[in-house]
Amino acid sequence: MAWSRRLLLSGALCSLASPKVLYAIAGAWPDRPIKIIVGFPAGGQADVYARMYAEFIALETGVPVVIENKAGALGSIAATEVKLARPDGYTLLFSTSGAFSVNRVLVKDLSYAESDFELVAAMPTGGLPLVVSKGVAAKELSEFVKFARAADRVTLGTFGVGSPAHLMILAMNEQFNLSIEPAHYRGEGPMWNDVASQNIDGGIGSILGARPVLEAGKGTAVAVPRKRLISLPEVKTFAEQGADAPLFELMTYFCCAVPTGTPTAVVERLSDLIVRAGASAKVRTVLATFGIDEGPMSIEATRELYARESPVWVDLAQRAVPSRKN
């Protein structure tokens, strides 16, 4: 059942339950430790997000929140484990929206479906800057395009096949008639190390990962998607520099999700906790260091965002890697 339809159904069921019953369900949760399974390695932005929100949830509820990193297969290993967990609000998934959308295209024999999860909250990750290495003479997108046309070979790093970074490279190739080769890494750390050492011509990833490269003067940000970053206000967006592919206007975000069947009152309380965490001074300070000025989104806004943008991501992935599941 589509998420939008299930959301309406869950709302109808809630209206049939008495306020006392719903309060009792939410009030009983949590009474033991909560586990958050992160679909990516420790130290990355997904892990940082999970630990940041876990700390707030633990303080608010008075129960421990444990983080487990289950990286691999574009987040599908973690998603599979959460799918198999009891739907009681004690096992949460922190991953990218791609775990539910583009993985349908990219991962062969995927062991879960979109309908196995309820989205709790979306957490915008800020833009993914295109950073070129020190050896590339470019400060704006047009200069990088000129470099890419003249060079015998140009390689940009990504954090995985079918990732937003990968799709951005393919979109640039298509629009500007380039032949940039994506170099796929298992996580951002090794990618940015290779950008800094000029083993590759640049990379696309989080501002958190890119910051050491930029601060050390070993790379230059030449473009960002969707909107300018508060931490890189002088860097123009792709659209401002003539890149008009729909991809460059999409939001990238992490998701918190729970197994389908988790009590609605528990899902709503979890969502409220995450949204309130995003409004707290500590979390806002951390987000600001990432160059992010957008906090977590409510259940309704999250599911509207997913319904609106996931078909675009899936279509792009199908066109980018059409034989991936064959």
Side-chain angles (χ1 to χ4, degrees), residues 25-228:
I25 294 172
W29 179 94
D31 59 5
R32 63 180 188 273
I34 298 167
K35 179 166 63 176
I36 295 178
I37 298 180
V38 183
F40 295 90
Q45 192 172 4
D47 179 68
V48 172
Y49 264 56
R51 294 178 189 278
M52 179 170 64
Y53 290 105
E55 181 179 356
F56 184 89
I57 293 171
L59 289 172
E60 288 288 305
T61 63
V63 303
V65 181
V66 179
I67 303 292
E68 290 187 7
N69 297 89
K70 297 292 179 72
L74 303 176
S76 63
I77 293 174
T80 298
E81 183 164 336
V82 174
K83 168 200 169 180
L84 299 174
R86 290 184 59 184
D88 53 13
Y90 289 95
T91 305
L92 318 180
L93 173 67
F94 266 60
S95 192
T96 64
S97 58
F100 315 106
S101 56
V102 298
N103 278 10
R104 286 178 269 158
V105 177
L106 302 174
V107 180
K108 188 174 183 179
D109 300 323
L110 194 65
S111 58
Y112 61 86
E114 179 185 85
S115 58
D116 291 321
F117 301 93
E118 296 282 356
L119 291 184
V120 175
M123 292 148 281
T125 59
L128 299 174
L130 164 60
V131 176
V132 298
S133 70
K134 187 177 180 179
V136 176
K139 294 183 178 180
E140 293 191 347
L141 183 61
S142 61
E143 295 173 338
F144 174 68
V145 169
K146 183 178 180 180
F147 165 83
R149 285 178 176 156
D152 293 332
R153 181 187 183 192
V154 177
T155 305
L156 290 181
T158 86
F159 47 91
V161 175
S163 65
H166 180 198
L167 298 182
M168 287 166 66
I169 292 169
L170 297 179
M172 283 190 289
N173 282 344
E174 183 175 299
Q175 175 159 359
F176 299 109
N177 193 28
L178 303 175
S179 300
I180 300 169
E181 297 178 18
H184 304 299
Y185 290 79
R186 293 175 61 87
E188 286 192 60
M191 179 189 78
W192 291 121
N193 286 339
D194 276 356
V195 173
S197 61
Q198 301 184 46
N199 289 328
I200 55 178
D201 297 299
I204 299 175
S206 70
I207 186 63
L208 173 66
R211 179 173 284 114
V213 176
L214 297 173
E215 291 180 346
K218 296 182 177 181
T220 302
V222 300
V224 295
R226 201 166 70 89
K227 70 174 193 174
R228 295 199 188 195

